[in-house]
């Protein structure tokens, strides 16, 4: 489906012509959207939130609403408004079939694909996604769209979120929504490699990560994708090639060392602020997490190593002098 | 004429060697974790982390048992440097380590059942066992249960002071261990103190 979306959205044409609408949205992404338009969009969205919100489900504004269906499509304005797409009018993506109620039955299928605005990015990420475990498993690729992992209604780009624990919570939620739920996993699950015709059962997330010490602490401090994506060059965006458990990073020192890979991953957007605060290596990481092996104090380390070496040399020298003196005493007594 | 006294009961010897084994294990794995680097392969990181956790908890248990046994048996009194003349005895002992030992002079202090340690030993053991060790164990436990550590510390993660204290106290115990093993050779013979720690009998 991911690819068919790209094709159906006539990506090459979009790239060449640069749709005016897409341009306007991209401009909004760059925060250049004017406040009057934002206010206009917000007002327009109020009509949607009148039904598509928890408040409306608790107190339906009209009697003919299908509350079961509505529950699946509810969204809180306070979640949507600060999100990356929060300045947009809902109808910019949900353009057709949503002007009237009841909405058109085909409305959902006619939701604009992400490529309509993010064409260039999708073209760049597509080869990475094609190498991903989500594309390689039989029958899985067709079920995957951007929104399978990225919640377009809520997600905020890392650069804007800034605080690493918020980035971690947001991004891991995307993974755990399927990988920590049998029900959701079953919707996407391909056939087992050794059991054709029988869907692969969701492996228990704790069991498959048993090798990782302090597993739950890791999940609070770092994203699944820190280990489940290949290394990229410093400053580059994280790869969309999601690695399976055989290929995923298992060398702890990749993060737990002075040259920590976290600098090009979770803390990528903060690395430019690195100032070795109070003499600590990777102090931007230390501002959020103490990562043993990565957040060291070189001066303190040198002092400790020096003292241990001095202690060793001290006892060796003392022992050597003792031996020499004992030999001399023995010779003198003879 | 040499004298022979039964100095160390079995529980102290078992505790001592358990403690020794655990501290060596913790030192090796601790160095592997703190100085983790792809170019410095000591013990593999995740293995070191697991061993360090198990050995660390074992050390806490050993310390708790040691403290209880110390109270029950009255052994804690051995660690208290007793007046009068503590400073004078410390000085005499220091002079012996710095000069007398090289001249083959006899120990300035004679071990008795009532007082196993010379003044310097009592002071350093007291400092290590009752000040440094509890800080190292407490910070180690906080590492295991970080939810009890402070949230923030001067704009850094609250685990930072815990980690630094754990590191420094661990390093102090490592340095103590090096000196302790070496000073074990300064008995009546180079191996007599090690034998005492195995058999419980002191000879001089």
């Amino acid at each position: 489906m991911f690819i068919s979306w790209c094709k159906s959205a006539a990506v090459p044409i979009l790239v060449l012509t640069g749709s005016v609408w897409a341009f306007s949205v991209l401009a909004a992404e760059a925060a250049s959207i004017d406040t009057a338009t934002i206010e206009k969009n917000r007002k327009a969205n109020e009509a949607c939130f009148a039904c598509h919100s928890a408040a409306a489900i608790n107190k339906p504004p009209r009697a003919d609403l299908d509350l079961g269906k509505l529950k699946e499509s509810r969204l809180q304005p306070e979640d949507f408004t600060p999100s990356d797409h929060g300045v947009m009018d809902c109808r910019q993506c949900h353009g057709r079939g949503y002007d009237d109620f009841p909405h058109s039955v085909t409305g959902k299928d006619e939701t604009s694909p992400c490529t309509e605005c993010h064409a260039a990015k999708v073209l760049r990420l597509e080869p990475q996604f094609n190498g991903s475990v989500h594309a390689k498993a039989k029958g899985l690729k067709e079920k995957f769209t951007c929104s399978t992992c990225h919640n377009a209604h809520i997600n905020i780009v890392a650069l804007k979120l800034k605080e690493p624990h918020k980035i971690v919570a947001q991004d891991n939620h995307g993974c755990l929504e399927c990988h920590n739920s049998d029900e959701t996993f079953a919707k996407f699950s391909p056939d087992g490699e050794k059991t054709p015709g029988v869907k692969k059962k969701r492996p228990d997330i704790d069991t498959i990560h048993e090798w990782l010490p302090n597993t739950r602490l890791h999940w609070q401090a770092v994203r699944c994708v820190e280990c489940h994506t290949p290394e990229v060059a410093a400053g580059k965006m994280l790869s969309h090639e999601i690695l399976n458990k055989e290929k995923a990073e298992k060398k702890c020192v990749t993060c737990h060392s002075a040259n920590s890979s976290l600098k090009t991953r979770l803390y990528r957007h903060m690395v430019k602020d690195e100032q070795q605060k109070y003499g600590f290596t990777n102090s931007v990481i230390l501002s959020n997490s103490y990562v043993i092996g990565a957040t060291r104090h070189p001066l303190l380390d040198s002092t400790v190593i020096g003292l241990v070496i001095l202690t060793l040399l001290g006892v060796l020298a003392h022992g050597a002098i003792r031996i020499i003196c004992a030999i001399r005493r023995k010779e003198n007594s003879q | 004429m040499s004298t022979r006294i039964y100095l160390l009961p079995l529980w102290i010897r078992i505790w001592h060697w358990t403690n020794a084994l655990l501290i060596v294990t913790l030192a090796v794995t601790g160095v592997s974790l703190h100085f983790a680097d792809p170019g410095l392969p000591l013990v593999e990181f995740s293995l070191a982390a697991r061993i360090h956790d198990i050995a660390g908890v074992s050390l806490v248990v050993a310390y708790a048992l040691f403290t209880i046994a110390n109270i029950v048996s009255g052994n804690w009194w051995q660690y208290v440097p007793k007046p009068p003349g503590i400073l004078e005895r410390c000085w005499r002992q220091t002079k012996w380590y710095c000069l007398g030992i090289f001249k083959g002079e006899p120990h300035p202090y004679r071990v008795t059942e009532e007082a196993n340690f010379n003044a310097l030993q009592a002071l350093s053991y007291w400092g290590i066992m009752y000040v440094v060790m509890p800080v190292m164990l407490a910070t180690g436990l906080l590492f295991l249960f970080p939810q009890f550590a402070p949230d923030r510390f001067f704009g850094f993660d609250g685990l930072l002071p815990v980690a630094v204290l754990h590191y420094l106290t661990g390093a102090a115990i490592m340095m103590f261990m090096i000196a302790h093993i070496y000073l074990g050779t300064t008995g009546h013979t180079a191996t007599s103190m090690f034998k005492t720690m195995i058999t419980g009998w002191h000879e001089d």
Side-chain angles (χ1 to χ4, degrees), chain A residues 210-213 217 252-253 256-257 277-278 280 283 286-290 292-293 296 300-301 304-305 307-308 311-312 315 318-319 321-322 325 329, chain B residues 33-38 44-46 49-50 97 101-104 143 146 152 154-157 159-160 163-164 167-168 171 175 178-179 182 185-186:
Chain A
E210 257 174 0
W211 68 274
L212 179 69
L217 273 179
C252 307
V253 287
H256 289 277
S257 57
K277 201 174 167 190
Y278 302 126
F280 281 97
S283 62
L286 191 57
S287 67
N288 188 58
S289 288
Y290 178 82
I292 192 161
R296 302 186 206 164
L300 194 62
D301 284 349
V304 166
I305 292 169
L307 286 172
V308 172
T311 311
L312 261 173
V315 299
H318 195 275
I321 298 170
R322 264 172 70 201
C325 290
R329 277 201 310 275
Chain B
L33 294 170
H34 184 85
F35 295 98
D37 192 276
E44 190 276 321
F45 194 94
S46 68
R50 284 185 202 287
Y97 283 135
I101 193 169
F102 302 128
K103 295 178 191 165
F143 248 135
R152 307 289 304 156
F154 287 103
F156 286 137
D157 180 17
L159 262 182
L160 176 65
V164 171
Y167 173 42
L168 292 180
M175 285 183 272
I178 294 167
Y182 171 70
T185 67
T186 60

Side-chain angles (χ1 to χ4, degrees), chain A residues 246-309:
Chain A
E246 279 77 31
K247 287 185 183 168
E249 185 60 81
K250 276 193 174 171
K251 287 196 292 290
C252 307
V253 287
T254 303
C255 291
H256 289 277
S257 57
N259 191 25
S260 176
S261 158
L262 288 173
K263 289 191 287 191
T264 59
R265 292 175 176 272
L266 181 59
Y267 293 86
R268 182 171 72 99
H269 63 291
M270 291 170 79
V271 152
K272 62 179 188 322
D273 301 326
E274 178 63 66
Q275 290 175 342
Q276 310 277 315
K277 201 174 167 190
Y278 302 126
F280 281 97
T281 304
N282 296 322
S283 62
V284 287
I285 299 177
L286 191 57
S287 67
N288 188 58
S289 288
Y290 178 82
V291 181
I292 192 161
T295 48
R296 302 186 206 164
H297 196 288
L299 186 63
L300 194 62
D301 284 349
S302 305
T303 310
V304 166
I305 292 169
L307 286 172
V308 172
I309 290 173

Side-chain angles (χ1 to χ4, degrees), chain B residues 5-53:
Chain B
I5 49 173
Y6 188 64
L7 202 63
L8 302 169
L10 184 64
W11 74 266
I12 290 187
R13 286 177 279 143
I14 292 175
W15 166 77
H16 176 271
W17 291 115
T18 309
N19 214 37
L21 184 70
L22 290 173
I23 287 176
V24 170
T25 308
L26 286 159
V28 173
T29 51
V31 167
S32 304
L33 294 170
H34 184 85
F35 295 98
D37 192 276
L40 186 76
L42 289 165
V43 183
E44 190 276 321
F45 194 94
S46 68
L47 181 65
R50 284 185 202 287
I51 295 174
H52 201 81
D53 284 356

Side-chain angles (χ1 to χ4, degrees), chain A residues 10-320:
Chain A
V11 169
I13 301 167
L14 271 176
V15 172
L16 288 170
T17 58
S19 135
V20 175
W21 183 66
F23 178 77
S24 71
V25 178
L26 287 172
E29 276 189 342
S32 61
I33 189 165
D34 62 275
T35 47
T37 312
I38 293 173
E39 198 46 43
K40 193 179 120 229
N41 290 346
R42 197 162 291 167
K43 280 256 182 281
N45 292 348
E46 276 175 16
C48 305
F49 285 123
C51 294
H52 293 273
S53 64
I57 290 166
N58 290 335
K59 200 177 169 187
R62 46 193 296 165
D64 55 345
L65 290 171
D66 180 345
L67 293 183
K69 243 181 177 179
L70 199 56
K71 269 181 190 167
E72 289 172 17
S73 58
R74 72 179 158 184
L75 179 65
Q76 289 306 98
E78 60 270 26
D79 290 333
F80 175 70
T81 308
S83 77
D84 290 336
H85 297 118
V87 291
M88 291 165 62
D89 185 328
C90 300
R91 290 169 302 178
Q92 278 175 315
C93 294
H94 305 285
R96 291 179 199 165
Y98 287 99
D99 284 335
D100 303 309
F101 185 84
H103 303 319
S104 155
V105 285
T106 58
K108 199 173 177 184
D109 296 332
E110 290 181 52
T111 304
S112 302
C114 306
T115 44
E116 216 157 300
C117 293
H118 301 284
K121 194 179 255 183
V122 169
L123 271 183
R124 189 158 47 82
L125 300 179
E126 197 187 318
Q128 296 172 1
F129 175 77
N130 287 340
S132 167
V133 64
H134 293 142
K136 282 186 168 172
K138 199 180 168 194
L140 194 55
K141 192 174 176 181
E142 291 69 30
K143 295 178 185 171
F144 259 76
T145 67
C146 304
S147 60
T148 308
C149 302
H150 302 282
N151 188 331
H153 294 125
I154 293 174
N155 277 18
I156 301 173
V157 71
L159 195 64
K160 256 162 73 184
L161 264 181
K162 284 195 171 69
E163 290 177 46
H165 72 272
K166 286 184 182 170
I167 301 169
V168 169
Q170 173 184 280
D171 288 6
N172 285 357
H173 180 76
C175 304
L176 293 172
E177 230 175 2
C178 288
H179 290 276
N180 207 23
S181 158
D182 288 329
E183 199 187 336
T184 324
F185 189 86
K187 287 182 192 167
F188 292 90
S189 180
D191 287 356
E193 278 172 28
K194 291 172 189 163
T195 53
V198 180
K199 280 194 166 190
K200 188 185 168 189
K201 218 178 149 209
R202 182 183 71 87
D204 180 67
I205 199 104
D206 286 305
T207 310
I208 55 173
H209 289 94
E210 257 174 0
W211 68 274
L212 179 69
N214 300 317
T215 322
R216 294 267 160 179
L217 273 179
H218 273 95
W219 295 344
Q220 284 167 23
V222 286
R223 299 170 298 182
C224 309
V225 288
E226 314 310 350
C227 299
H228 285 276
T229 56
E231 187 86 53
V232 290
K236 293 278 180 198
M237 190 181 156
L238 214 66
S239 172
H240 272 58
E241 183 187 342
I242 307 298
L243 304 172
N244 65 14
K245 66 177 191 291
E246 279 77 31
K247 287 185 183 168
E249 185 60 81
K250 276 193 174 171
K251 287 196 292 290
C252 307
V253 287
T254 303
C255 291
H256 289 277
S257 57
N259 191 25
S260 176
S261 158
L262 288 173
K263 289 191 287 191
T264 59
R265 292 175 176 272
L266 181 59
Y267 293 86
R268 182 171 72 99
H269 63 291
M270 291 170 79
V271 152
K272 62 179 188 322
D273 301 326
E274 178 63 66
Q275 290 175 342
Q276 310 277 315
K277 201 174 167 190
Y278 302 126
F280 281 97
T281 304
N282 296 322
S283 62
V284 287
I285 299 177
L286 191 57
S287 67
N288 188 58
S289 288
Y290 178 82
V291 181
I292 192 161
T295 48
R296 302 186 206 164
H297 196 288
L299 186 63
L300 194 62
D301 284 349
S302 305
T303 310
V304 166
I305 292 169
L307 286 172
V308 172
I309 290 173
L310 274 178
T311 311
L312 261 173
L313 289 177
V315 299
L316 286 175
H318 195 275

